[in-house]
Amino acid sequence: MVNNDQDHRFADTKKYSTGKILAIAVSLIGLIASSCSQQTATNVSAKSDTTSNSNTVATKTTEKNNVIRLGYQKGGIIPLARQRGELERQLTAQNIKVEWSGPFDRCATLLSSLNGNRADIGGCGDIPTISGIAAGQPLCIGSVQRPSPDSLGSAILVRGDSPIRKPADLVGKKVAVNQGGAGEYLLLKVLEKEKIPKEKVQRVYLSPNDAAPALYQGSVDGWAVWEPYISIAELEHKARRITTTHPAPTYGIMVVRGDAAKENPVAVKAALTALSEDGDWLNKNTNAASDFLVKELKLSDAVAKQVTKNRGPESYVFPNSEDVANLQKTADWLLEQKIIPQKVDIAASVCPLGTTASR
């Protein structure tokens, strides 16, 4: 009996254990299946997130590459293009967003904006552009406005009651210039032409905003400067020029931030082309150009008309080999005069935009 009971109990135990084992097995299979399902879902989700993130990055990159930032000084083609609106319409049609930065009082501050990645393109003269490149700023030459020998867009000014009548009278005097810029270049070239040792005229380094009151108040005797400051000084403060045309006419430059030219050449080239077209339009509509200056700089009609006349045509083109050679001569002269600290290779400083004219 005992044995039978024991056998019976053992048989029940075996039966129970087997059932339990089967239940556990089923549960385990379910857990494994559930785990696999969750893992698959997680992997799909992770893949989906990665794809989503990649698309987001790509979208942001595309958006970034479809923005061009134009920096501008007071006067010049860029602010006039901004007012006219045709450039923005053209670039918008190409899915390129335009942003504006300015106005800046001189090239040095505009170049600083380019160097600091706050703008992509800006209009400057060749002297400050070369000086900026020589100083190691990541800039390149996008397009150029060739010199106009008859232009009255720069001059050495004196007060109306000054006894100074000609460049030779500047000996022993103080002349305000912007350091390493168009003003200093003009003064040195005038002295060179007149065979006056540069050491005999004291250069006082001032920005245009500081140089104007310094001249009017008598802190300096002369001021080497450009438009629109010339016409403002002549017509509103009775200053007068002692030079007419520039002894070494300079180029205008559309300066480009180096990384913008490399990363976004299509948008940069499109903007430069549109600016050139704006210049062509303004050359045929000088009255409109004067009106733009009145609105932009709050100038009188008389000053605006004289600025437009003195500056002459606004014609920007992609540089060719002759332009590169001319700019190289200027860069070499600046090095000889110790205005820049090192040699600048102009050919290597032309933006890599794939333009046949720049080769």
Side-chain angles (χ1 to χ4, degrees), residues 73-89:
Q73 295 187 73
K74 297 177 179 179
I77 189 65
I78 293 181
L80 299 188
R82 181 190 181 202
Q83 286 192 46
R84 184 178 175 226
E86 183 60 28
L87 178 147
E88 198 158 355
R89 284 190 286 272

Side-chain angles (χ1 to χ4, degrees), residues 17-158:
S17 299
T18 301
K20 188 175 182 180
I21 290 169
L22 286 171
I24 293 171
V26 171
S27 298
L28 285 172
I29 290 171
L31 286 170
I32 292 170
S34 175
S35 175
C36 289
S37 176
Q38 289 176 358
Q39 185 175 4
T40 301
T42 302
N43 288 341
V44 170
S45 177
K47 184 177 180 181
S48 176
D49 288 345
T50 301
T51 303
S52 176
N53 289 338
S54 297
N55 290 338
T56 300
V57 171
T59 301
K60 288 182 178 179
T61 301
T62 301
E63 289 175 353
K64 181 180 178 182
N65 286 342
N66 282 344
V67 175
I68 202 76
R69 300 167 298 174
L70 299 176
Y72 58 95
Q73 295 187 73
K74 297 177 179 179
I77 189 65
I78 293 181
L80 299 188
R82 181 190 181 202
Q83 286 192 46
R84 184 178 175 226
E86 183 60 28
L87 178 147
E88 198 158 355
R89 284 190 286 272
Q90 285 188 30
L91 268 60
T92 298
Q94 300 175 57
N95 196 32
I96 300 170
K97 181 181 178 183
V98 179
E99 295 179 356
W100 308 90
S101 179
F104 299 97
D105 66 330
R106 54 189 168 132
C107 279
T109 49
L110 174 53
L111 295 181
S112 177
S113 180
L114 291 168
N115 188 39
N117 192 18
R118 296 185 297 278
D120 300 311
I121 299 175
C124 274
D126 54 2
I127 308 305
T129 299
I130 293 170
S131 296
I133 294 172
Q137 295 181 358
L139 308 170
C140 62
I141 298 169
S143 59
V144 299
Q145 176 171 286
R146 291 171 179 141
S148 176
D150 298 327
S151 171
L152 298 174
S154 59
I156 297 178
L157 301 175
V158 297

Side-chain angles (χ1 to χ4, degrees), residues 171-191:
V171 172
K173 306 297 184 181
K174 298 178 182 178
V175 179
V177 299
N178 57 320
Q179 186 172 13
E184 184 171 24
Y185 181 70
L186 169 61
L187 175 62
L188 291 176
K189 277 296 184 179
V190 167
L191 297 179

Side-chain angles (χ1 to χ4, degrees), residues 212-225:
L215 177 68
Y216 306 149
Q217 296 167 13
S219 300
V220 295
D221 304 292
W223 180 19
V225 71

